[in-house]
Amino acid sequence: MNREIKLAILNKIEEYDRIMLFRHVRNDGDCVGATKGLKRIIQLTWPEKEVYLIDGEIARYLEFMGPEDEEVSDEIYKSALGIVLDTASEARISNKKYALCKELVKIDHHIPLENYGDYRWVEEERSSCCEMVVDFYRTFADRLKIDKEAAQHLYTGMVTDSGRFKYDGVTGETLRNAAALLDVGVDTDMLFARLYLEAFEYLKFKAHIYNKMEVTPNGVAYIFVDKAMQEQFSLTLEQASAIIGTLDAIRGCISWAAFIETGDEAGSIRVRLRSRFVHINSIAEKYHGGGHACASGATVYSQEEMMALLADTDALVKEYKETHEGWL
Ligand code: AMP
């Protein structure tokens, strides 16, 4: 599928001596895995090329994936091919110097919010961007090289973005791509331990959330994690945000949301919105966000706006439930 654009991207990588990889703000396993995995594939295949991955930060739970490159001069950016992975819009690219690159490639699996880049390969039905990188490797396996390090990065992104191969977007092709990585060699025991073991104190926070969570009349489960709660449990924003996962298995609640007070000057509240069966990305788009059909992010700036978003989601869920059968 999409062989032409993949070939165009391969040829571009071949043409440039310098390649720079970019990803989205609030990085996650998929964008980190895709950038690190593709970087490793390029380095193995063309050892003479300069490949840079420069990003100011990496989420603490992903630090095990290793360090990244030091900042370089603007001149280096200007002569490079930029490849942006897993990022729907320019505003969400974390390293803003991507704009200096001579040419730009976009490889993404989000619903496109805008068209940026000189070459675009977007497959929104893919379960992760890492899966696209594996597909890229497998399409040109006669020309590209891979090793255990690259496989480990790419598998990390495939596992995290697909909810451990649980979500709707997982297909036979997803598992064939994952299988190709396992054939190369992935330490799954260690990976799952690094990703999913939880601290004793965090489980206490979860217990608190189960006590405090609420449900709208038509079945949207939600929780507001304000600054006081974050301080009470000594949580980073990242840890507080991860709480969305605890609301995902309530029978009848086909959508759920976590609101995380960020404490910034604008009074912004991070919204993590999820669903099964019903599509909620239109709600996220209305509130300064976007994402996938069943997993989106947004931002609101007051508790009133938070309640408005919840009312919109509740109405959407109501309509869905009235017009569909078989939801759980
Ligand atoms: P999150 O809850 O932040 O993990 O977001 C869920 C999905 O929506 C991820 O794939 C994000 O990349 C995407 N997303 C989050 N916020 C935005 C936004 N403001 N604009 C577009 N996509 C977003």
Side-chain angles (χ1 to χ4, degrees):
M1 213 166 64
N2 284 323
R3 193 182 162 88
E4 245 169 65
I5 180 66
K6 286 187 275 190
L7 187 60
I9 293 171
L10 180 71
N11 288 337
K12 275 290 150 193
I13 295 174
E14 215 152 25
E15 177 187 323
Y16 276 79
D17 297 329
R18 266 187 194 136
I19 294 133
M20 309 195 85
L21 302 170
F22 302 92
R23 62 187 180 218
H24 61 75
V25 292
R26 281 184 186 146
N27 51 66
D28 58 18
D30 193 24
C31 74
V32 174
T35 44
K36 283 181 179 290
L38 182 58
K39 178 181 175 187
R40 182 76 184 157
I41 288 173
I42 296 172
Q43 281 178 323
L44 288 166
T45 308
W46 296 279
E48 68 287 356
K49 286 189 196 295
E50 289 174 31
V51 197
Y52 297 96
L53 172 50
I54 298 163
D55 197 284
E57 57 165 32
I58 188 158
R60 200 182 297 167
Y61 75 102
L62 298 171
E63 276 171 358
F64 72 88
M65 296 176 79
E68 304 191 344
D69 300 313
E70 299 285 316
E71 185 59 278
V72 293
S73 72
D74 288 1
E75 295 316 307
I76 300 223
Y77 284 86
K78 284 180 193 162
S79 61
L81 172 70
I83 306 179
V84 187
L85 292 119
D86 196 34
T87 311
S89 60
E90 285 187 83
R92 285 181 51 81
I93 303 175
S94 49
N95 181 350
K96 295 300 174 205
K97 288 195 176 181
Y98 76 92
L100 296 173
C101 288
K102 202 163 165 192
E103 287 188 287
L104 206 60
V105 172
K106 175 189 188 185
I107 300 178
D108 189 31
H109 74 128
H110 292 96
I111 296 164
L113 296 176
E114 62 186 36
N115 290 328
Y116 70 85
D118 305 293
Y119 304 88
R120 290 184 289 275
W121 173 30
V122 177
E123 290 187 22
E124 55 187 89
E125 62 287 352
R126 291 277 187 185
S127 69
S128 64
C129 188
C130 279
E131 184 185 333
M132 296 177 71
V133 177
V134 183
D135 172 83
F136 184 71
Y137 162 72
R138 291 177 68 218
T139 305
F140 304 113
D142 52 337
R143 291 167 71 179
L144 295 171
K145 292 187 179 150
I146 197 165
D147 68 356
K148 283 186 181 177
E149 184 186 322
Q152 185 88 16
H153 289 317
L154 295 168
Y155 199 79
T156 303
M158 289 193 75
V159 165
T160 51
D161 242 42
S162 68
R164 308 182 213 187
F165 301 111
K166 181 177 98 172
Y167 300 150
D168 214 21
V170 173
T171 61
E173 192 56 12
T174 308
L175 296 187
R176 279 184 284 278
N177 283 318
L181 297 178
L182 292 174
D183 285 345
V184 176
V186 178
D187 185 348
T188 49
D189 243 11
M190 182 55 96
L191 178 65
F192 279 77
R194 279 171 162 158
L195 286 173
Y196 298 117
L197 290 182
E198 287 178 333
F200 184 82
E201 298 73 24
Y202 197 75
L203 288 172
K204 294 286 183 194
F205 170 53
K206 272 190 168 175
H208 186 71
I209 293 295
Y210 282 127
N211 267 321
K212 296 276 173 193
M213 66 185 182
E214 297 194 52
V215 180
T216 65
N218 293 290
V220 182
Y222 67 96
I223 185 75
F224 177 44
V225 186
D226 61 10
K227 272 279 144 200
M229 204 189 291
Q230 293 170 42
E231 276 156 27
Q232 183 188 346
F233 291 94
S234 305
L235 299 171
T236 62
L237 266 184
E238 205 180 279
Q239 288 169 324
S241 303
I243 206 63
I244 183 67
T246 58
L247 304 178
D248 71 348
I250 307 169
R251 191 171 297 132
C253 293
I254 61 172
S255 179
W256 53 102
F259 299 89
I260 319 297
E261 190 175 26
T262 67
D264 68 5
E265 278 178 13
S268 77
I269 299 171
R270 177 181 183 185
V271 184
R272 306 195 79 189
L273 191 58
R274 303 288 187 266
S275 62
R276 58 180 172 271
F277 308 121
V278 60
H279 292 176
I280 41 68
N281 57 297
S282 60
I283 306 270
E285 283 161 26
K286 182 173 168 189
Y287 292 89
H288 325 283
H292 304 286
C294 294
S296 284
T299 308
V300 293
Y301 294 91
S302 64
Q303 290 198 44
E304 290 69 42
E305 211 185 350
M306 174 174 108
M307 295 318 290
L309 184 152
L310 273 174
D312 284 345
T313 315
D314 188 64
L316 189 78
V317 165
K318 180 175 193 290
E319 203 225 313
Y320 183 89
K321 286 184 171 178
E322 284 170 355
T323 51
H324 295 76
E325 287 180 356
W327 47 266
L328 292 163

